[in-house]
Amino acid sequence: PVLTAAIASWGWQRALLIAALAMFATCAFAAIVLLREDPASMGLVPYGEGTCPPQAGDESGRGDGARAAGMASTFALIGTASVFSGILGDLNTQLNAMVQHSGFSPAIAGIAFSCISAGLFVGKIFLGWIRDKSDGRRAVLAGCGIGVVAFLGLAIALHGGSIVLLYAGSALAGFCSCLGTVVPALLCAGTYAG
């Protein structure tokens, strides 16, 4: 709503420039004040250093070269999954236009956008909770499962004109589309930990 009001007052170019400057200031603040290069201050070691003794090979008898190749292929698969999950983030920016193009009013489209934003907020917490209680794979599977239900609900709502289903599908779509930003963390935390 704030960005919409800014666009109405100052035009989209000036409003988006102000939004970009605000995002830059927020990210710069986090990078300067919150992020630390010294994991020891948090009781951690960098990049798993010291978490296991150096060995010529692991329990399976594979050497360090085979282990490194396996980790490289795992990293490539996680990177690929992260790129494809990032595409989900496009739904957040396009939902308003899709809803209006399907015949709903701008007010309803705005509420649907608020629903997907709420789903993003809750979804990140919910998927992180699943990851903490279980593992990253289950969290990703939960997000994808919710996404299937959400996209089916959205497709029916946009075609049939159901406002309640539109809002519910939008909120659930937020759960799924948050995978675009949390998939790397969910998968890497379990794969590269100790």
Side-chain angles (χ1 to χ4, degrees):
V2 173
L3 187 58
T4 302
I7 291 171
S9 299
W10 305 317
W12 69 269
Q13 291 174 326
R14 187 176 296 166
L16 292 182
L17 177 62
I18 292 169
L21 291 173
M23 285 186 272
F24 176 77
T26 302
C27 292
F29 173 79
I32 294 168
V33 177
L34 302 177
L35 298 180
R36 299 283 181 259
E37 291 186 23
D38 179 24
S41 64
M42 299 178 66
L44 302 172
V45 292
Y47 305 110
E49 178 183 309
T51 56
C52 57
Q55 300 174 357
D58 59 16
E59 296 79 22
S60 65
R62 297 185 305 166
D64 287 338
R67 185 171 192 275
M71 292 303 275
S73 64
T74 300
F75 181 79
L77 288 171
I78 290 174
T80 303
S82 298
V83 168
F84 283 117
S85 66
I87 295 170
L88 290 171
D90 287 342
L91 177 66
N92 304 330
T93 60
Q94 300 301 318
L95 182 68
N96 191 303
M98 290 186 325
V99 171
Q100 288 190 53
H101 185 71
S102 297
F104 292 96
S105 72
I108 290 173
I111 294 171
F113 184 78
S114 295
C115 289
I116 200 168
S117 296
L120 282 166
F121 176 76
V122 175
K124 289 180 183 184
I125 296 168
F126 177 70
L127 295 180
W129 178 80
I130 292 174
R131 191 260 177 248
D132 290 345
K133 294 294 181 189
S134 183
D135 63 18
R137 290 174 297 178
R138 288 201 174 115
V140 172
L141 285 173
C144 291
I146 291 169
V148 169
V149 173
F151 297 141
L152 180 61
L154 281 175
I156 293 169
L158 293 175
H159 182 70
S162 170
I163 296 173
V164 173
L165 190 56
L166 173 68
Y167 294 160
S170 296
L172 289 176
F175 272 71
C176 176
S177 62
C178 76
L179 287 173
T181 55
V182 300
V183 157
L186 291 174
L187 295 179
C188 288
T191 304
Y192 296 107

